[in-house]
Amino acid sequence: MITKAVVIEKEMAVTHSDFFRSLPNALRDEQCLIEGNLIFISNSSGTLKIELGPEGKRQIALLSLPRTRVKLIFENYSAIDMENALKRFDQAFQ
């Protein structure tokens, strides 16, 4: 079991509203507490805190994409539970 926090940072091509619209797919019926741009998920695996950074834009030539930095903080997750949670998270936001 991992006893310290593991932090994973992602830069995602989503707005905050896009993120919150897709979040239920990542949670799969898990309960969460949302406080502004912070999401707290506690389950038998441990605690996951998700922090959404400010929205921005990424400009690639004439293409403009939304950009949000997302920090996932896993506390007390085993390696396999963290891997499964990350896989579910990534699939929900594809």
Side-chain angles (χ1 to χ4, degrees):
M1 170 147 329
I2 298 170
T3 56
K4 63 178 182 163
V6 175
V7 179
I8 297 174
E9 296 187 47
K10 296 178 173 277
E11 187 171 286
M12 299 178 66
V14 295
T15 63
H16 288 187
S17 62
D18 292 337
F19 183 89
F20 285 112
R21 187 172 41 254
S22 296
L23 184 61
N25 292 330
L27 294 176
R28 293 195 183 156
D29 298 326
E30 289 181 301
Q31 298 299 311
C32 70
L33 172 65
I34 299 172
E35 294 180 358
N37 293 332
L38 297 174
I39 300 101
F40 300 91
I41 304 159
S42 292
N43 56 40
S44 61
S45 298
T47 302
L48 171 59
K49 177 180 169 186
I50 302 172
E51 297 178 5
L52 298 181
E55 291 182 3
K57 295 276 185 198
R58 168 165 279 177
Q59 194 72 34
I60 304 170
L62 296 176
L63 179 65
S64 180
L65 298 171
R67 182 185 76 196
T68 300
R69 293 186 189 277
V70 177
K71 187 184 295 185
L72 301 133
I73 304 165
F74 292 89
E75 294 180 1
N76 300 317
Y77 269 69
S78 69
I80 191 71
D81 287 343
M82 187 173 65
E83 181 182 323
N84 289 336
L86 277 170
K87 185 184 295 184
R88 211 170 53 231
F89 182 87
D90 289 340
Q91 287 174 344
F93 289 97
Q94 284 182 346

